Every structure is written in structure tokens, then in C-alpha cells.
Amino acid sequence: QVQLMESGGGLVRPGESLRLSCTASTSALSISAVGWYRRAPGKERVLIASSTIGGTTNYADAVQDRFTISRDTAKNTVYLQMNNLRPEDTAVYYCQILGTYDTGIYYPRGSWGQGTQVTVSA
């Protein structure tokens, strides 16, 4: 399976921004649908942002209009720009390459990386 590595997390204050990066052991990030998941303390991991290979993006309501997923195919890297961060954004963030069921629902295809911790606190 594809190995994924996330970076860019940290401790920030509410209202500040971070940009997360994700690289892979293969070129999968450049030729597949990709997404960002997060796992908040005590909660399940959930998909918060996705991008098709054609560039169509979707976001969870909780991050809509604040987060932006993008990719640089030349660098085989996926990004998550996070603006106006809130304490409830505190979580471990993971990237994934995505498969699609016939129903249109995404599922993770790669091995889970270590994730990157984002903590938003005053």
C-alpha cells in the first residue's frame, strides 16, 4: 500500500492559520482522488476535505469556507490550508488517497500515516 506522511501541524491561537502538507511513497497523490481526515480527541476519524483528480472539491460543513485542499502534482504533494482556526479544529490530521464506492462514497485506500497534530488554544 501507499505510505503517506503528513506534516505542518502545530500549536496556534484561535483565528490563526496553518498549512498542512502530505507526501506519498508513490505518485498516487498526483493520479488519485485525495482527502484529509481528522480525529478529534475522543471522536472517530472523519473525512473533512476531498479533491477529485479533476479538481472538484468537497468539504465538511465544519470546515467549509475556512479550509482549502489543493495539490501540486509536480511535487506529488497535497495541502490543506486552514484559516480562521477554532479550538474545535484541534485534532490529528491525516491525508489519504481515496477510492469511490458505486454509491459515490469515498473510502481510504492507502496506509494510515502518523498524522500531524493541530492544537488550537488561546
Side-chain angles (χ1 to χ4, degrees):
Q1 278 190 317
V2 177
Q3 303 297 316
L4 301 161
M5 180 177 296
E6 303 87 355
S7 62
L11 172 63
V12 297
R13 290 189 170 90
E16 294 184 340
S17 300
L18 279 175
R19 189 178 77 159
L20 307 183
S21 299
C22 173
T23 57
S25 57
T26 72
S27 61
L29 292 178
S30 298
I31 59 173
S32 306
V34 294
W36 285 92
Y37 289 74
R38 71 183 183 188
R39 176 179 282 162
K43 297 186 178 181
E44 295 186 350
R45 185 158 39 198
V46 295
L47 180 64
I48 58 166
S50 63
S51 175
T52 67
I53 190 63
T56 299
T57 57
N58 280 285
Y59 300 92
D61 289 344
V63 305
Q64 183 77 47
D65 298 327
R66 298 187 299 122
F67 290 12
T68 302
I69 185 172
S70 62
R71 75 174 90 195
D72 184 331
T73 55
K75 296 182 178 179
N76 194 36
T77 301
V78 176
Y79 303 100
L80 184 68
Q81 177 67 41
M82 307 187 295
N83 297 329
N84 191 20
L85 283 160
R86 304 167 179 170
E88 53 264 39
D89 295 318
T90 295
V92 180
Y93 286 72
Y94 305 85
C95 66
Q96 265 293 351
I97 56 173
L98 301 174
T100 310
Y101 293 116
D102 291 344
T103 55
I105 301 298
Y106 285 126
Y107 63 91
R109 292 174 49 207
S111 297
W112 291 104
Q114 294 295 314
T116 186
Q117 175 72 48
V118 172
T119 303
V120 185
S121 175

